[in-house]
């Protein structure tokens, strides 16, 4: 069974940094395109950043572009989200997401349990 486990959340002051990790077990990481999503209290889950299977392509939401960096280490079966210049509006539960394209029209998606990031003003 494939599992995604996020770590690294916590409380940080505005302007500070945190690095989230997502360890994938049960399957080779390079099978999946990976992303980070977040969900703030009372809001819908939103895309934060994504990275292709080999790490050649990365994608960011406008709200984090230039502040956050997504990366992956396929040998360690782990992806990361380096978050700098954090703002109170970055406060949310951050989720790791894996996507495998089996064939056209058939996509398998997996989610971690989430890790809470709280940014104080």
């Amino acid at each position: 069974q494939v599992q995604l486990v996020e770590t690294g959340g916590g409380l940080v002051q505005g302007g500070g940094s945190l690095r989230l990790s997502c360890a994938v077990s049960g399957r080779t990481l390079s099978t999946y395109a990976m992303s980070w999503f977040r969900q703030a209290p009372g809001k819908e889950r939103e895309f934060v950043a994504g990275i292709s299977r080999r790490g050649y392509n990365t994608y960011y939401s406008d709200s984090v572009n230039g502040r956050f960096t997504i990366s992956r280490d396929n040998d360690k079966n782990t992806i990361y989200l380096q978050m700098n210049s954090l703002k109170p509006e970055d406060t949310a539960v951050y989720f790791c997401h894996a996507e495998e394209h089996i064939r056209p029209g058939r996509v398998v998606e997996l989610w971690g349990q989430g890790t809470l990031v709280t940014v104080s003003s």
Side-chain angles (χ1 to χ4, degrees):
Q1 184 175 349
V2 182
Q3 287 191 311
L4 283 62
V5 178
E6 303 97 331
T7 56
L11 174 64
V12 63
Q13 273 196 324
S17 298
L18 277 177
R19 188 176 83 153
L20 305 182
S21 299
C22 173
V24 178
S25 61
R27 196 84 185 272
T28 302
L29 180 64
S30 59
T31 302
Y32 302 102
M34 301 295 296
S35 301
W36 289 96
F37 284 72
R38 68 185 181 187
Q39 188 166 17
K43 295 189 176 181
E44 293 188 355
R45 193 172 297 190
E46 64 174 0
F47 171 80
V48 175
I51 188 166
S52 59
R53 290 172 55 200
R54 302 294 181 184
Y56 296 144
N57 298 300
T58 57
Y59 313 90
Y60 299 93
S61 67
D62 289 343
S63 61
V64 308
N65 195 25
R67 299 187 298 122
F68 291 10
T69 303
I70 187 171
S71 61
R72 65 192 295 157
D73 186 334
N74 285 348
D75 291 335
K76 294 183 178 179
N77 261 28
T78 302
I79 72 163
Y80 306 95
L81 185 67
Q82 177 66 44
M83 306 186 294
N84 298 329
S85 302
L86 282 161
K87 306 175 182 180
E89 50 264 43
D90 294 318
T91 294
V93 177
Y94 284 72
F95 297 90
C96 181
H97 173 262
E99 188 171 291
E100 180 185 6
H101 291 255
I102 306 295
R103 58 181 178 270
R106 174 84 168 106
V107 176
V108 173
E109 295 186 78
L110 301 167
W111 293 91
Q113 82 289 349
T115 186
L116 177 63
V117 172
T118 303
V119 184
S120 64
S121 56

